[in-house]
Amino acid sequence: MSTPRPFLAANWKLNPTTLVEAVDLARAVAQTAGDRVGQVELALFPPFPWLLSVAGTLQAKGIGLGAQDCYWEPGGAYTGEVSAAMLSSLCEWVIVGHSERRQHFCETDETVNRKAAAALSAGLKVIICVGERAEQFDAGETETVVESQLRAALRGLDRDLIPGRVVVAYEPVWAIGTGRNADPGHAGRTMELAHTVVTSESGASVRMLYGGSVKGDNVASYVGLAACDGCLVGGASLDSEEFSRMIEAVVEVGA
Ligand code: PEP
């Protein structure tokens, strides 16, 4: 299940506030990552307005770039939306189904599926996020929730486009931005289940990420798991020094 080069994806959410800060952060990440990009795959996910400038900053640095969301229609009367087709000329990745979009912006399993399909047909690579809420975790429903979210997200996707292009991020909602990271045993079992579900649904083997309050001092406990190919990092990725500690910890796990 593991790949030789672990993947750290940095979800900047609605940060930073200015273009200057965004470019500075991208530059700092690129500088501290240096030639570690040969050992760790990195990708930054800034807000839409910063994509073009961050792309310029990352040029030839071997660091990937992605958006945090997309719309499925390629164009038309959809005020405020950004299509997967538009993104494909700016970046290579997109995140779909992040729990903050499900929670605050009425994202459903059906819209996540439409976004994933549009992203793949536009030529993008996709991180599909799944994960249970706190009350579902407490009720022991993690596996049921993750399985049903994943099956819905993958429904009808072109099987030929999945290998190498789809990555799944298991992100327990109660662990995102809370400082309460999941027990690695729980995360590992859930990623194994997710892997089995993807294989049975699509016939493909995809990479699995863990996300939820990952930092420099706990990233190794996830990346060291057989079922885990890397992490989706939110808050801690806004601090280039903390992100650099994560890169070093991940390199050490692989050494
Ligand atoms: C995320 O935004 O996907 C995330 C995991 O956030 P954080 O690392 O802040 O918990």
Side-chain angles (χ1 to χ4, degrees):
M1 280 183 210
S2 296
T3 56
R5 201 164 64 126
F7 184 20
L8 286 181
N11 175 20
W12 289 2
K13 311 189 192 225
L14 190 58
N15 303 292
T17 318
T18 69
L19 176 59
V20 170
E21 290 171 295
V23 168
D24 282 352
L25 178 56
R27 196 170 286 140
V29 170
Q31 196 170 348
T32 59
D35 54 14
R36 294 302 199 199
V37 291
Q39 292 151 286
V40 186
E41 179 178 354
L42 301 173
L44 308 184
F45 293 79
F48 291 130
W50 309 156
L51 277 169
L52 191 56
S53 301
V54 170
T57 307
L58 297 182
Q59 222 163 25
K61 299 280 199 285
I63 297 176
L65 182 68
Q68 300 168 16
D69 186 31
C70 66
Y71 191 58
W72 55 84
E73 293 293 346
Y78 302 102
T79 303
E81 292 298 325
V82 175
S83 72
M86 290 168 179
L87 290 172
S88 65
S89 61
L90 276 177
C91 60
E92 57 184 314
W93 286 97
V94 67
I95 296 171
V96 299
H98 191 282
S99 69
E100 287 155 10
R101 299 227 42 99
R102 293 180 192 256
Q103 187 184 348
H104 303 300
F105 303 99
C106 308
E107 197 84 85
T108 65
D109 285 347
E110 195 206 326
T111 60
V112 173
N113 174 248
R114 294 180 81 163
K115 290 177 177 192
L120 286 178
S121 52
L124 292 165
K125 295 190 269 189
V126 190
I127 298 181
I128 298 174
C129 299
V130 294
E132 81 283 6
R133 298 191 306 272
E135 68 275 18
Q136 294 168 323
F137 174 71
D138 291 341
E141 293 169 0
T142 299
E143 297 202 348
T144 320
V145 170
V146 166
E147 175 163 2
S148 107
Q149 287 178 340
L150 258 183
R151 288 201 190 277
L154 297 170
R155 193 161 297 138
L157 297 190
D158 184 339
R159 283 175 166 229
D160 293 341
L161 299 181
I162 293 178
R165 301 261 308 277
V166 170
V167 171
V168 170
Y170 167 56
E171 301 204 296
V173 179
W174 47 270
I176 296 180
T178 59
R180 182 187 168 205
N181 54 301
D183 170 69
H186 170 82
R189 281 188 299 279
T190 310
M191 285 185 281
E192 275 165 30
L193 175 271
H195 197 272
T196 307
V197 171
V198 176
T199 309
S200 81
E201 191 69 34
S202 70
S205 177
V206 305
R207 289 189 287 172
M208 290 288 153
L209 309 181
Y210 165 77
S213 297
V214 174
K215 300 200 186 87
D217 61 6
N218 62 26
V219 68
S221 62
Y222 301 105
V223 175
L225 297 167
C228 182
D229 300 289
C231 289
L232 178 52
V233 184
S237 70
L238 294 168
D239 176 343
S240 63
E241 286 177 17
E242 186 65 24
F243 199 58
S244 164
R245 277 191 281 281
M246 278 183 253
I247 294 170
E248 292 310 315
V250 166
V251 166
E252 232 170 83
V253 173

